[in-house]
Amino acid sequence: MSTALGGGRRRNSHHTRNAKRLCALIVVLGLTACGADPAAPTNDVSAVKEDLTKLQGTNGLIRMPESSSLAKGSVHGTYLAARLLDTSFSAVASERTRDELERVLKASETDLVSQLKALVALKRSGSSSWGSYGPVLERGKAALPAVVTLANLSGYIDLVDVLVQLEPSARLARLEAFDADPGVEDLLSGALMALSNSMYFSNSEEVRSMFPAAQSALPQLIDSPKGNGLNYFRALTAMTNASRSGLGSNDFDKAAEKLRTLKGCKEFPSLYRMEADKSSPCSLSISAAMIAVPGAYDFGENK
């Protein structure tokens, strides 16, 4: 699941209004203070730091809680941790973390997206050496397509989501509309992915009005975490971008209440589960994906 966010891009008034409605939902996540409301809870960054420190593997990288029995961490897990903590990630990263990230960056067999993820994590670890890997960034920019269709949507989001953390002005591609029958899981997932990441397309305003059938299904999708868990979270991150969904402030409040039931597991109280069962494992992917909601997370300002 993508963990895309706006990357500091300017958002229009549509996003601003919807972001205000999302305040209750995002405060539940414990990742941002949600504007300047003095009554809103502050970030519990220390709890997130503590949980991620517990997940540091023997190689210095962050392990996924879903597979926490593994001794070594992964580049992907480390990248997700860096996205959760942003500049505060330096408090979790060790010298071994930075050394391993550089080893990955120098390894010829490492794929491009993994290299870019390692580079984001290295930058947020506080290391100044990340600037020495300009060729990796240039390869990432060169790999961006001009047009996105359903066929290359997932790959484009995986690439641009990481790339804009390093190059906010990276060239964006245009999304071509596709039929998205909400009764077909793969098509619905594609529509939700596109809506969630509308800021990553050059025709972002147009994208927010695409997929009317999928948008009509959003109220039902966010009403319950049951069923396809990934599509539930995709719907949560898509709802502020869906201009034709008909969702209002009451829907956001209800979603926030349901989301509270998915917070925490046995070892990691600051992270989120995909399953309602409290004995199920937390998911770093899901937790990081929640910062994808436009306007919900101001990097560096609440750390």
Side-chain angles (χ1 to χ4, degrees):
M1 182 178 181
S2 170
T3 57
L5 67 155
R9 296 182 184 277
R10 182 180 297 175
R11 299 179 179 96
N12 61 18
S13 59
H14 167 77
H15 276 178
T16 302
R17 290 193 299 271
N18 281 332
K20 289 179 179 178
R21 294 180 195 171
L22 257 179
C23 188
L25 173 64
I26 302 308
V27 166
V28 172
L29 297 175
L31 296 178
T32 180
C34 207
D37 181 1
T42 56
N43 286 338
D44 190 4
V45 175
S46 61
V48 179
K49 287 179 182 176
E50 185 176 342
D51 281 350
L52 294 179
T53 298
K54 287 186 250 180
L55 284 167
Q56 191 169 93
T58 56
N59 58 350
L61 301 184
I62 303 301
R63 297 175 291 121
M64 302 287 276
E66 302 95 314
S67 55
S68 58
S69 60
L70 298 176
K72 292 184 178 181
S74 66
V75 169
H76 183 56
T78 308
Y79 169 72
L80 292 175
R83 289 292 293 274
L84 277 172
L85 288 176
D86 190 49
T87 55
S88 294
F89 180 63
S90 59
V92 173
S94 63
E95 193 62 36
R96 187 161 193 174
T97 306
R98 289 182 277 272
D99 289 344
E100 182 64 13
L101 289 170
E102 292 214 54
R103 187 195 67 77
V104 168
L105 279 162
K106 293 173 182 175
S108 59
E109 67 272 17
T110 306
D111 66 272
L112 177 59
V113 172
S114 293
Q115 282 191 313
L116 290 167
K117 287 179 178 180
L119 192 54
V120 171
L122 186 64
K123 179 180 181 181
R124 294 187 180 179
S125 75
S127 172
S128 60
S129 66
W130 77 273
S132 303
Y133 296 94
V136 175
L137 180 57
E138 292 304 314
R139 287 198 298 274
K141 290 161 64 175
L144 288 170
V147 177
V148 178
T149 64
L150 178 60
N152 66 346
L153 173 63
S154 180
Y156 171 74
I157 293 299
D158 284 346
L159 175 60
V160 74
D161 177 44
V162 185
L163 190 59
V164 297
Q165 311 309 313
L166 300 162
E167 180 56 81
S169 61
R171 171 183 54 82
L172 301 179
R174 176 182 180 82
L175 178 68
E176 290 189 350
F178 55 86
D179 291 331
D181 182 349
V184 181
E185 188 173 300
D186 289 347
L187 296 179
L188 175 62
S189 294
L192 296 178
M193 185 183 300
L195 289 168
S196 296
N197 298 287
S198 64
M199 74 292 293
Y200 287 158
F201 300 105
S202 61
N203 58 332
S204 58
E205 287 295 332
E206 183 183 356
V207 172
R208 294 181 195 117
S209 295
M210 288 181 182
F211 319 113
Q215 291 203 36
S216 295
L218 275 173
Q220 182 178 354
L221 287 170
I222 68 169
D223 187 55
S224 174
K226 297 177 182 178
N228 185 312
L230 279 178
N231 276 347
Y232 170 70
F233 284 98
R234 286 187 178 117
L236 289 178
T237 58
M239 57 187 176
T240 54
N241 290 343
S243 61
R244 301 171 67 176
S245 68
L247 291 167
S249 57
N250 288 339
D251 299 295
F252 287 87
D253 291 341
K254 291 177 182 177
E257 288 295 325
K258 289 182 174 64
L259 196 56
R260 286 189 180 95
T261 67
L262 297 177
K263 183 178 181 181
C265 51
K266 184 177 180 181
E267 295 181 80
F268 311 107
S270 75
L271 302 182
Y272 286 79
R273 309 182 308 274
M274 185 182 295
E275 306 292 337
D277 184 354
K278 292 184 178 180
S279 65
S280 62
C282 275
S283 168
L284 190 53
S285 298
I286 291 298
S287 300
M290 289 294 94
I291 63 173
V293 182
Y297 201 70
D298 296 320
F299 284 118
E301 296 183 7
N302 294 310
K303 304 298 180 220

